[in-house]
Amino acid sequence: MRSSESPAGRPLRRGLPVRRVRRPRWADQPGTWREASPDLIDAALRRATARPSGNWFVLAASSEIPRERPFGRTVAGVELVAWRNSEGVLRVGPGACPHLGAPLAQARVQCGQLVCRWHGMRLDETTRGRWAPFPAHDDGVLAWVRLDRVGGESPRQRPVLPPRPPLDESIAAVASMPGRCEPQDVVANRLDPWHGSWFHPYSFMNLRVADAPSVVASEDDDHFDVDVTFRLAGSVGVPVRARFTAPEPRTVAMHILDGEGAGSVVETHATPLGRDRHGRALTAVIEATVAHSDRPGFRASTAVAPAVRPVMRWAARRLWRDDLAYAERRYSLRHR
Ligand code: FES
Ligand SMILES: [Fe+2]
């Protein structure tokens, strides 16, 4: 299934990445179900979930944890609180106060310490009895926590990150959505690129999987290359070639290899949260887009990042509403 063809289409105006492409009506597209082999997707998922994570879990977007207040989230059933010390360094600890269990997500942050609202106990990076902070890492876009008891692997010093463009020359945005499924369902959805033009016709046109790993693939061949046009309106869009890889068990990265935004990456992270009251698994999809372009003027446009971010988040949310329905369906079929 290898091809050296570049994504095609007719440019609307010279110098613009936007193209008008010929696109069949939705029902007239070539079916992709023969290529989207369940065995192949399962094998890619098994390889992904067998990779080490070093027990690191994405907790939130870095920007969700400001200096002035704490952030609370339960990850894999462990209640956590995250905050920043007086130097702005990320700290994560158990979410229940070691005194009488008050929710530390409601604490105040003063001079880099958590101040419990119930009786004023001050907490920092120091262990207090059984209350001990967890290793934490802020990669500039995402905040991570290491939960060794949950992960059960050999711990690593740092999380496994896919390559990213330089952050000071990029626009980064993070979108989060919860779903009733397990992380593997989110990863499996991303390892099925064939559903793109069928399931998301509002976003993708003329999707073609140019290269997919076989059921038995070496590490070097373990990627999906996809030619696709990101739809802007009607039959107008931006054609790219993208590569999907799974660098660790709860992350799938899509790198733009060719076309507008080459070097950009969309990282889809699946963080297990716990279970709902019916015992169903809950997972947060935390998707980081790091948009980059060599086009002159893009760096200047990073000044407009605050305006661009909500739009990027909206686009990701629309896709993820459908992709979560796919992941939740996969989970419910498994647990019938
Ligand atoms: S519960 Fe936190 S100080 Fe008492
Ligand atoms: Fe999708």
Side-chain angles (χ1 to χ4, degrees), residues 197-212:
S197 289
W198 281 101
F199 200 38
H200 311 292
Y202 48 83
S203 278
F204 302 122
M205 301 187 286
N206 298 353
L207 186 146
R208 191 177 69 97
V209 179
D211 190 10

Side-chain angles (χ1 to χ4, degrees), residues 189 195 200 323:
N189 166 269
H195 75 264
H200 311 292
D323 280 328

Side-chain angles (χ1 to χ4, degrees), residues 193-280:
W194 292 277
H195 75 264
S197 289
W198 281 101
F199 200 38
H200 311 292
Y202 48 83
S203 278
F204 302 122
M205 301 187 286
N206 298 353
L207 186 146
R208 191 177 69 97
V209 179
D211 190 10
S214 54
V215 169
V216 186
S218 67
E219 282 293 305
D220 287 346
D221 281 332
D222 206 2
H223 55 252
F224 296 82
D225 286 353
V226 174
D227 289 339
V228 63
T229 299
F230 288 113
R231 188 174 177 196
L232 298 177
S235 55
V236 173
V238 180
V240 299
R241 173 166 286 193
R243 172 167 290 183
F244 292 79
T245 54
E248 59 102 88
R250 291 175 289 274
T251 300
V252 176
M254 182 193 74
H255 286 92
I256 305 293
L257 298 184
D258 191 15
E260 179 64 15
S264 303
V265 62
V266 178
E267 299 170 12
T268 305
H269 301 274
T271 297
L273 301 176
R275 299 204 168 258
D276 68 11
R277 61 198 170 90
H278 304 293
R280 288 174 300 196

Side-chain angles (χ1 to χ4, degrees), residues 40 59 77 94 124 126 150 159 165 177 196 207 210 216 225 238 264 299 305:
L40 189 155
L59 177 61
D124 51 25
T126 325
V150 173
M177 283 185 78
L207 186 146
V216 186
D225 286 353
V238 180
S264 303
R299 281 184 70 173

